[in-house]
Amino acid sequence: MPQNAPDIPRLILGSSSAYRKELLGRLGLPFETMTPDIDETPQPGETPDATALRLAREKAAAVAARAGAALVIGSDQVATLDGEQIGKPGNHDNALKQLQKMRGREVFFHTALCLWDGRQENAAAAAQIRNVQTLVRFRDLPDAELDAYLRIEQPYDCAGSAKNEGLGIAILQSIHSDDPTALTGLPLIALTDMLRNAGVRFFGLRNA
């Protein structure tokens, strides 16, 4: 990664996700990546949006504890159908079951984002946090098409078993969100708001 300019805070993406790394790279800011390494198990009775928000904050805080005076980005996504959380399938059989359950249905994706400012001494002031919701309707496709898609793209590390930035867009009927990058895993509109609040400037301009 390029070296930080003197007036740009050290920026760290608290994630090992290639999707989030690609999205953050679009902003043209120098950044590093660090793995949060936290337990992502939902807590008993926790709502899907609460799970996403808590994990985004915990990821950012875990990396910030090791990074010092840096801006740390944490993000987490939870998909829900009828209020039930839909996690990463992990394998082909689970992914097929997910897609069969979601076909012809609307699924909510909660993409939570936290920007932790390690320059702040107070933890309450250090964290900016937001949940960006996306409503996705899946096409009502036969098992053969769903199975064929999974064997081509193998989206077994994606909540909802589909990569909307890839061939998975062909099994989606519609996407509704205030932030088109939220579904991929890192809401850039919300993130640029947070970075501006933390003093980061864009387009090659120096901080005021």
Side-chain angles (χ1 to χ4, degrees), residues 9-208:
R10 183 184 177 202
L11 183 63
I12 301 173
L13 174 62
S15 175
S16 59
S17 166
Y19 314 118
R20 293 190 176 109
K21 184 176 179 181
E22 187 277 331
L23 285 170
L24 184 56
R26 296 182 191 180
L27 300 184
L29 299 172
F31 69 93
E32 308 164 40
T33 60
M34 293 177 67
T35 303
D37 193 24
I38 66 166
D39 182 0
E40 299 187 31
T41 305
Q43 295 179 350
E46 192 172 46
T47 61
D49 57 329
T51 297
L53 288 165
R54 176 179 60 82
L55 291 178
R57 192 180 193 280
E58 289 183 0
K59 288 177 181 179
V63 171
R66 312 197 310 263
L71 296 177
V72 179
I73 301 163
S75 187
D76 190 78
Q77 186 177 80
V78 177
T80 64
L81 177 64
D82 297 331
E84 179 184 348
Q85 294 196 25
I86 301 170
K88 299 174 182 178
N91 59 52
H92 183 89
D93 290 342
N94 289 339
L96 183 58
K97 289 176 183 176
Q98 280 192 359
L99 292 182
Q100 288 170 333
K101 187 175 182 178
M102 295 185 297
R103 60 182 164 197
R105 306 285 304 281
E106 291 184 337
V107 178
F108 271 104
F109 287 78
H110 300 274
T111 308
L113 176 69
C114 179
L115 181 68
W116 191 285
D117 190 342
R119 301 167 300 178
Q120 301 286 341
E121 295 184 2
N122 186 297
Q128 300 181 61
I129 192 161
R130 193 179 305 180
N131 176 25
V132 180
Q133 298 187 48
T134 305
L135 178 62
V136 177
R137 176 174 284 278
F138 283 73
R139 294 182 186 275
D140 189 1
L141 299 177
D143 289 352
E145 286 197 45
L146 299 179
D147 182 78
Y149 161 68
L150 291 174
R151 294 187 184 282
I152 293 170
E153 198 150 60
Q154 302 183 10
Y156 308 138
D157 60 344
C158 299
S161 303
K163 294 181 181 181
N164 73 289
E165 71 278 15
L167 183 57
I169 199 71
I171 68 172
L172 305 182
Q173 184 171 322
S174 63
I175 300 174
H176 299 282
S177 178
D178 291 334
D179 193 328
T181 56
L183 187 58
T184 308
L186 190 66
L188 293 184
I189 293 177
L191 179 59
T192 53
D193 284 344
M194 293 178 176
L195 289 171
R196 288 178 187 276
N197 290 340
V200 175
R201 298 294 180 263
F202 297 90
F203 319 120
L205 300 178
R206 298 178 68 85
N207 287 353

